[in-house]
Coordinates of all heavy atoms in Angstrom, one line a residue:
D262 N 2.7 22.9 -13.1 CA 3.6 21.7 -13.3 C 5.1 22.1 -12.9 O 5.6 23.1 -13.4 CB 3.6 21.3 -14.8 CG 4.3 19.9 -14.9 OD1 5.2 19.6 -14.2 OD2 3.8 19.1 -15.8
M264 N 7.9 20.9 -13.4 CA 9.0 20.7 -14.3 C 8.6 21.0 -15.7 O 8.6 20.1 -16.6 CB 9.5 19.2 -14.2 CG 10.0 18.8 -12.8 SD 11.5 19.6 -12.3 CE 12.7 18.6 -13.2
P265 N 8.2 22.2 -16.0 CA 7.7 22.5 -17.3 C 8.7 22.4 -18.4 O 8.4 22.2 -19.6 CB 7.3 24.0 -17.2 CG 8.2 24.5 -16.1 CD 8.3 23.4 -15.1
H266 N 10.0 22.4 -18.1 CA 11.0 22.3 -19.1 C 11.1 20.9 -19.7 O 11.7 20.7 -20.7 CB 12.4 22.7 -18.6 CG 12.8 21.8 -17.4 ND1 12.5 22.1 -16.1 CD2 13.6 20.7 -17.3 CE1 13.0 21.2 -15.3 NE2 13.7 20.4 -16.0
H267 N 10.4 19.9 -19.1 CA 10.4 18.6 -19.7 C 9.4 18.6 -20.9 O 9.4 17.6 -21.6 CB 9.8 17.6 -18.6 CG 10.9 17.1 -17.7 ND1 10.7 16.3 -16.7 CD2 12.3 17.3 -17.8 CE1 11.8 16.0 -16.1 NE2 12.8 16.6 -16.7
G268 N 8.6 19.6 -21.0 CA 7.7 19.6 -22.2 C 6.4 18.9 -21.8 O 6.3 18.2 -20.7
T269 N 5.4 18.9 -22.6 CA 4.1 18.4 -22.3 C 4.1 16.9 -22.6 O 3.2 16.2 -22.1 CB 3.1 19.1 -23.1 OG1 3.4 18.9 -24.5 CG2 3.0 20.6 -22.8
G270 N 5.0 16.4 -23.4 CA 4.8 15.0 -23.8 C 5.5 14.0 -22.9 O 5.2 12.8 -22.8
K271 N 6.6 14.4 -22.3 CA 7.5 13.4 -21.7 C 6.9 12.6 -20.6 O 7.1 11.4 -20.6 CB 8.8 14.1 -21.1 CG 9.7 13.1 -20.5 CD 11.1 13.6 -20.5 CE 12.1 12.4 -20.0 NZ 13.4 12.7 -20.1
R272 N 6.1 13.2 -19.7 CA 5.6 12.4 -18.6 C 4.1 12.2 -18.8 O 3.4 11.7 -17.9 CB 5.8 13.1 -17.3 CG 7.3 13.1 -16.9 CD 7.6 13.9 -15.6 NE 7.4 15.3 -15.9 CZ 6.5 16.1 -15.3 NH1 5.8 15.6 -14.4 NH2 6.4 17.3 -15.6
H273 N 3.5 12.5 -20.0 CA 2.1 12.4 -20.2 C 1.8 11.2 -21.1 O 0.6 10.8 -21.2 CB 1.6 13.7 -20.8 CG 1.8 14.9 -19.9 ND1 0.8 15.5 -19.1 CD2 2.9 15.6 -19.6 CE1 1.3 16.5 -18.4 NE2 2.6 16.5 -18.7
S274 N 2.7 10.7 -21.8 CA 2.6 9.5 -22.6 C 3.0 8.3 -21.9 O 4.0 8.3 -21.2 CB 3.4 9.6 -23.9 OG 3.6 8.4 -24.5
V275 N 2.1 7.3 -21.9 CA 2.4 6.1 -21.1 C 3.7 5.4 -21.5 O 4.5 5.0 -20.7 CB 1.2 5.1 -21.2 CG1 1.0 4.6 -22.7 CG2 1.5 3.9 -20.3
W276 N 4.0 5.4 -22.8 CA 5.3 4.8 -23.2 C 6.5 5.6 -22.9 O 7.6 5.1 -22.6 CB 5.2 4.5 -24.7 CG 4.1 3.5 -25.0 CD1 3.0 3.8 -25.8 CD2 3.9 2.2 -24.6 NE1 2.1 2.7 -25.8 CE2 2.7 1.7 -25.1 CE3 4.7 1.3 -23.8 CZ2 2.2 0.4 -24.8 CZ3 4.3 0.0 -23.5 CH2 3.0 -0.4 -24.0
E277 N 6.4 6.9 -23.0 CA 7.5 7.8 -22.6 C 7.8 7.7 -21.1 O 8.9 7.8 -20.7 CB 7.2 9.2 -23.0 CG 7.2 9.5 -24.5 CD 8.5 9.3 -25.1 OE1 9.5 9.6 -24.4 OE2 8.6 8.9 -26.2
A278 N 6.7 7.4 -20.3 CA 7.0 7.3 -18.9 C 7.9 6.1 -18.6 O 8.7 6.1 -17.7 CB 5.7 7.1 -18.1
F279 N 7.8 5.0 -19.4 CA 8.6 3.8 -19.2 C 10.1 4.1 -19.6 O 11.0 3.4 -19.2 CB 8.1 2.7 -20.1 CG 6.7 2.2 -19.7 CD1 5.9 1.6 -20.6 CD2 6.3 2.4 -18.4 CE1 4.7 1.1 -20.2 CE2 5.0 2.0 -18.0 CZ 4.2 1.3 -19.0
K280 N 10.3 5.2 -20.4 CA 11.7 5.6 -20.8 C 12.3 6.6 -19.8 O 13.5 6.9 -20.0 CB 11.7 6.2 -22.2 CG 11.1 5.2 -23.3 CD 11.0 6.0 -24.6 CE 10.3 5.1 -25.7 NZ 10.2 5.8 -27.0
D281 N 11.6 7.1 -18.9 CA 12.1 8.1 -18.0 C 12.9 7.5 -16.9 O 12.5 6.7 -16.1 CB 10.9 8.8 -17.4 CG 11.3 10.1 -16.6 OD1 12.4 10.2 -16.2 OD2 10.4 11.0 -16.5
P282 N 14.2 7.9 -16.8 CA 15.1 7.3 -15.8 C 14.6 7.5 -14.4 O 14.8 6.6 -13.5 CB 16.4 8.1 -16.0 CG 16.4 8.6 -17.4 CD 14.9 8.8 -17.7
K283 N 13.9 8.6 -14.1 CA 13.4 8.8 -12.8 C 12.4 7.7 -12.3 O 12.2 7.4 -11.2 CB 12.8 10.2 -12.6 CG 13.8 11.3 -12.6 CD 13.2 12.6 -12.2 CE 14.3 13.7 -12.1 NZ 15.0 13.9 -13.3
V284 N 11.6 7.2 -13.3 CA 10.7 6.2 -13.0 C 11.4 4.9 -12.5 O 10.9 4.3 -11.5 CB 9.8 5.8 -14.2 CG1 9.0 4.5 -14.0 CG2 8.9 7.0 -14.6
Y285 N 12.6 4.6 -13.0 CA 13.3 3.5 -12.5 C 14.0 3.8 -11.2 O 14.1 2.9 -10.4 CB 14.4 3.1 -13.6 CG 13.7 2.6 -14.9 CD1 13.3 3.4 -15.9 CD2 13.4 1.2 -15.0 CE1 12.7 2.9 -17.0 CE2 12.7 0.7 -16.1 CZ 12.4 1.6 -17.1 OH 11.7 1.1 -18.2
Y402 N 4.7 13.8 -9.9 CA 5.6 13.8 -11.1 C 4.9 13.4 -12.4 O 5.2 13.9 -13.4 CB 6.8 12.9 -10.8 CG 7.8 12.9 -11.9 CD1 8.4 14.0 -12.4 CD2 8.1 11.7 -12.5 CE1 9.4 14.0 -13.4 CE2 9.1 11.6 -13.5 CZ 9.7 12.8 -14.0 OH 10.6 12.7 -15.0
L403 N 4.0 12.4 -12.3 CA 3.4 11.8 -13.5 C 2.0 12.4 -13.7 O 1.3 12.6 -12.8 CB 3.3 10.3 -13.3 CG 4.7 9.5 -13.2 CD1 4.4 8.1 -12.6 CD2 5.4 9.5 -14.5
R404 N 1.7 12.5 -15.0 CA 0.4 13.0 -15.3 C -0.3 12.1 -16.4 O 0.4 11.4 -17.1 CB 0.5 14.4 -15.9 CG 1.1 15.5 -15.0 CD 0.1 16.0 -14.0 NE 0.7 17.2 -13.3 CZ 1.3 17.1 -12.1 NH1 1.4 15.9 -11.6 NH2 1.8 18.2 -11.6
D405 N -1.6 12.2 -16.5 CA -2.4 11.7 -17.6 C -2.1 10.2 -17.8 O -2.1 9.4 -16.8 CB -2.2 12.5 -18.9 CG -2.5 13.9 -18.7 OD1 -3.3 14.3 -17.9 OD2 -1.9 14.8 -19.4
S406 N -1.9 9.7 -19.0 CA -1.7 8.3 -19.3 C -0.4 7.8 -18.6 O -0.3 6.7 -18.2 CB -1.6 8.0 -20.8 OG -2.9 8.3 -21.4
A407 N 0.6 8.7 -18.5 CA 1.8 8.4 -17.8 C 1.5 8.0 -16.3 O 2.2 7.1 -15.8 CB 2.8 9.5 -17.8
A408 N 0.5 8.6 -15.7 CA 0.2 8.2 -14.3 C -0.4 6.8 -14.3 O 0.0 6.0 -13.4 CB -0.8 9.2 -13.8
G410 N 0.1 4.2 -16.4 CA 1.1 3.2 -16.6 C 2.3 3.3 -15.7 O 2.9 2.3 -15.2
G411 N 2.7 4.6 -15.4 CA 3.9 4.8 -14.6 C 3.7 4.4 -13.1 O 4.6 3.8 -12.5
L466 N 11.5 19.0 -8.1 CA 10.6 18.1 -8.8 C 9.2 18.1 -8.0 O 8.2 17.8 -8.6 CB 11.2 16.8 -8.9 CG 10.3 15.7 -9.6 CD1 10.3 15.9 -11.1 CD2 10.9 14.3 -9.3

Side-chain angles (χ1 to χ4, degrees):
D262 195 324
M264 299 293 280
H266 58 277
H267 276 174
T269 57
K271 180 155 186 173
R272 288 173 294 121
H273 300 254
S274 161
V275 61
W276 298 114
E277 289 298 326
F279 297 155
K280 300 176 186 177
D281 190 336
K283 285 189 178 61
V284 169
Y285 293 90
Y402 179 60
L403 298 165
R404 299 279 190 269
D405 303 332
S406 293
L466 180 72

